[in-house]
Amino acid sequence: MPNPDLILHTGKIYPDAGSRRRFEALAVRKGRVTDIGTNKRILALKSKTTKIINLHGRTVLPGFHDSHIHLLNYGMLFQTLDLSRTQSIEEIKKRVRKWNTTTPHDTWVLGRGWDDERLREHRYPTRDDLDLATSNPVFLKRICGHVAVANSAALSLAGIDNRTVDPPGGRILRDSRGKPNGVLKETAIELVEKVIPESMEKTKSALVHASRKLVKVGLTSLHCIISNLTELNALRELKREQQLPQSIYAIIPANLVDRLGSGGLSRVRSRGRFRIGGLKLYLDGSLGARTAALNQPYDDDPRSRGMITLNSRELRRVASKARDSKFQLCIHAIGDKAVDLAVEVLGEIFGTRGCRQLRHRIEHASIVNEKSMKEMRRLGIIASIQPRFIYSDKWAEDRLGLGRLHQLYPFASMTKAGIRLAAGSDCPVEDPDPFEGIWSAVARPGLDEGERLTVREALTAYTRSAAYASFSEDFTGTLAPGNAADMIVLNRDPYESSRESLRQVRVVRTIIDGKVVS
């Protein structure tokens, strides 16, 4: 056997994060794991050129996946207004006014992160609020991304006025005179987004910045929710230029398939570091914005059950197209009504064999009833979950009422039902640090303790199961010989940590393809 390029030794190495079995040392050659075992046996393989890393008893796990991340949106937080800590509409206006002083006239002022639940006024900002701050076009998304507010200049550029009708799956909020008040929900957001100028240079810069920050928290594979063709092309170029170390599994909007053409699509099961495999569909909105589609009304708004943003006929049409082109569907469904519809249509269009072959996913799957759980298990549908929501959704009881709260994020019930969980963050909606998610899944602060995951189950969701959800389990997700040498070194062993101390676990070294990248 050729001598290894890298040896890690004197550590607690878990080649499969979902197993307590561990080893002392590991060998790597040409970016792949070649052997794992005792210090004595692995160190005997070294040569004069082998790089040796003494772990000094530290823990090694396979690199983490983020199964649902908006990489460009995260990167843009560092180029635009980050409003996640604002506490009032007045503060938002001050931030916009200050930002405006550094930008040329007519330049767009963009931002994200405001949350009406945290604002002193406990309401959405409006066009009138923003008009007082600047005459430049302004467009600010709520933290969930499913509601946004635009000022008069932005609405004018988008052609939104009193005569504009609500687009299918969206809503333009209006004042008492029927005039758009600047607040846009769901697909109505796209009316403004499509007129915002795009820059390939800024897009690439944002993606690189985001990637570098994510490496530091141990993310070695990213399932990227793509917004448009510019972002997709930027990712492809950056991977070709070797500026992004992580593996990228691109999940694209269904409307991009025709624009790419058959020659532009990488095959789903390719072993490459950049692959296009999933088609993203939105069936509803978010619980925070009260646009998630529920079977029963919202407890704090009995007139509303949320929104279905894609009707069943259109969902069936897109699903049939995905079946013919053999693409995985990644369906955004948060409320139980949306989840029920997704499961029903997937079963009808694909059947058990087709669903299992293409590994369809429900993104979020926040409220899932027993009937849909059984169908998800039968069809092999993956639940792409975001455990950090448990901690952040402090308003959950207001939305659902105490009687339904136990139905929210039923991770343990889904696991017991045999549903595979793939974990992510939905960053920038949530903190991308996987240990924030692992802690949330295991401790379940504020929610039903009976739905807690074990440490083993949580780690599996960020590694082996996430790799399965992107058709890469024969390449990543574990440190089996032959797999990519993607791994993380931790400051403490999560298996030996208390529930609360899981939140303090830190990544001290990230290795991708056998190279130390952080």
Side-chain angles (χ1 to χ4, degrees):
M1 177 184 293
N3 298 112
D5 304 317
L6 171 70
I7 286 178
L8 279 67
H9 71 102
T10 316
K12 296 188 288 186
I13 301 172
Y14 296 92
D16 184 340
S19 169
R20 296 293 293 269
R21 191 181 184 202
R22 69 191 193 194
F23 298 84
E24 291 178 313
L26 176 146
V28 175
R29 179 174 171 79
K30 293 185 177 180
R32 300 295 181 93
V33 177
T34 57
D35 208 347
I36 191 164
T38 64
N39 284 332
K40 181 178 179 180
R41 188 169 69 81
I42 300 301
L43 286 170
L45 303 174
K46 69 180 180 181
S47 68
K48 292 182 179 179
T49 60
T50 302
K51 181 178 180 179
I52 308 292
I53 296 178
N54 188 333
L55 296 168
H56 298 289
R58 284 180 165 154
T59 297
V60 174
L61 294 178
F64 286 139
H65 291 235
D66 191 311
S67 297
H68 186 114
I69 189 166
H70 301 265
L71 187 63
L72 177 58
N73 290 342
Y74 181 47
M76 289 301 290
L77 279 184
F78 307 101
Q79 296 185 6
T80 58
L81 276 171
D82 181 356
L83 302 171
S84 58
R85 296 185 180 181
T86 52
Q87 297 179 359
S88 70
I89 291 173
E90 284 303 312
E91 184 181 350
I92 292 174
K93 288 159 61 176
K94 288 179 182 177
R95 296 282 306 279
V96 169
R97 196 175 291 119
K98 183 178 179 181
W99 187 273
N100 184 57
T101 61
T102 64
T103 59
H105 181 62
D106 291 337
T107 299
W108 283 76
V109 179
L110 305 174
R112 180 173 179 147
W114 60 268
D115 185 350
D116 49 295
E117 296 288 338
R118 298 178 182 177
L119 298 179
R120 190 174 301 121
E121 297 86 351
H122 292 292
R123 65 172 176 85
Y124 294 157
T126 65
R127 69 186 290 170
D128 292 336
D129 295 317
L130 300 183
D131 284 349
L132 294 172
T134 179
S135 60
N136 284 30
V138 182
F139 188 62
L140 309 175
K141 282 189 174 183
R142 188 180 185 275
I143 188 167
C144 65
H146 291 267
V147 178
V149 59
N151 71 346
S152 294
L155 292 173
S156 177
L157 289 169
I160 299 173
D161 56 27
N162 296 23
R163 296 166 294 178
T164 307
V165 298
D166 290 348
R171 190 171 301 158
I172 301 169
L173 271 58
R174 304 170 193 273
D175 61 23
S176 58
R177 297 168 295 169
K179 179 182 179 182
N181 71 357
V183 177
L184 308 169
K185 292 189 173 185
E186 303 304 336
T187 59
I189 293 171
E190 299 168 13
L191 300 176
V192 175
E193 284 184 324
K194 68 183 181 183
V195 300
I196 299 173
E198 294 179 350
S199 163
M200 177 62 81
E201 182 182 356
K202 287 185 177 180
T203 297
K204 292 175 75 171
S205 172
L207 290 169
V208 169
H209 190 87
S211 167
R212 289 173 179 170
K213 291 187 75 69
L214 296 173
V215 158
K216 296 181 184 300
V217 294
L219 288 167
T220 61
S221 295
L222 306 172
H223 303 190
C224 291
I225 309 299
I226 305 299
S227 300
N228 52 49
L229 193 56
T230 299
E231 179 182 358
L232 184 66
N233 287 336
L235 276 172
R236 199 196 311 257
E237 289 181 20
L238 289 170
K239 285 302 296 180
R240 188 165 54 240
E241 295 163 3
Q242 299 183 350
Q243 293 195 57
L244 301 180
Q246 293 99 338
S247 291
I248 303 294
Y249 183 69
I251 299 171
I252 64 174
N255 61 15
L256 275 189
V257 176
D258 293 335
R259 295 179 65 185
L260 286 170
S262 60
L265 299 176
S266 302
R267 287 289 20 112
V268 170
R269 291 173 181 77
S270 163
R271 294 168 71 96
R273 287 286 189 176
F274 176 84
R275 294 167 299 122
I276 302 169
L279 299 186
K280 177 70 184 291
L281 301 174
Y282 287 88
L283 272 193
D284 68 349
S286 74
L287 277 173
R290 299 182 186 85
T291 53
L294 306 180
N295 285 321
Q296 300 299 322
Y298 280 86
D299 202 63
D300 55 358
D301 186 2
R303 299 167 299 174
S304 174
R305 298 188 184 202
M307 300 171 62
I308 289 290
T309 56
L310 189 69
N311 64 51
S312 59
R313 183 173 63 180
E314 181 65 9
L315 175 58
R316 285 174 170 82
R317 186 192 70 79
V318 177
S320 297
K321 190 173 183 178
R323 178 191 59 200
D324 296 340
S325 58
K326 300 191 184 307
F327 264 85
Q328 177 192 62
L329 284 178
C330 302
I331 303 177
H332 170 114
I334 285 181
D336 50 357
K337 183 177 182 179
V339 172
D340 290 349
L341 177 58
V343 172
E344 176 189 341
V345 171
L346 288 174
E348 174 189 322
I349 301 298
F350 294 91
T352 304
R353 182 178 178 184
C355 281
R356 291 186 177 276
Q357 181 183 22
L358 293 175
R359 304 183 187 180
H360 298 306
R361 302 161 38 152
I362 294 182
E363 305 298 313
H364 311 304
S366 301
I367 306 173
V368 187
N369 57 45
E370 188 175 344
K371 180 181 178 183
S372 283
M373 277 191 204
K374 289 179 179 177
E375 276 296 280
M376 288 177 70
R377 167 65 179 88
R378 184 179 72 84
L379 297 168
I381 297 171
I382 297 163
S384 172
I385 62 168
Q386 294 73 45
R388 185 53 158 68
F389 285 173
I390 294 170
Y391 174 69
S392 298
D393 294 358
K394 300 182 187 301
W395 36 255
E397 186 176 339
D398 295 335
R399 298 289 187 274
L400 300 176
L402 188 58
R404 279 185 291 177
L405 203 57
H406 71 280
Q407 300 174 8
L408 186 61
Y409 309 126
F411 299 157
S413 292
M414 286 195 283
T415 299
K416 290 172 185 173
I419 298 169
R420 193 184 296 261
L421 306 183
S425 66
D426 202 14
C427 175
V429 177
E430 294 292 345
D431 188 323
D433 185 344
F435 278 102
E436 281 288 307
I438 291 165
W439 164 73
S440 293
V442 175
R444 283 186 72 87
L447 287 184
D448 179 11
E449 295 181 0
E451 292 292 344
R452 284 174 170 165
L453 292 182
T454 65
V455 172
R456 179 187 63 80
E457 290 166 341
L459 290 173
T460 297
Y462 281 93
T463 54
R464 179 155 41 91
S465 290
Y468 178 87
S470 58
F471 299 91
S472 59
E473 71 274 15
D474 61 345
F475 181 61
T476 61
T478 68
L479 297 174
N483 276 9
D486 296 354
M487 54 194 133
I488 53 177
V489 182
L490 307 177
N491 67 340
R492 64 174 73 185
D493 187 337
Y495 279 115
E496 298 175 1
S497 301
S498 66
R499 283 178 185 153
E500 284 306 312
S501 65
L502 282 170
R503 204 176 187 187
Q504 277 73 56
V505 178
R506 294 289 178 267
V507 175
V508 297
R509 185 172 284 168
T510 301
I511 298 169
I512 299 179
D513 264 342
K515 300 180 180 64
V516 178
V517 294
S518 175

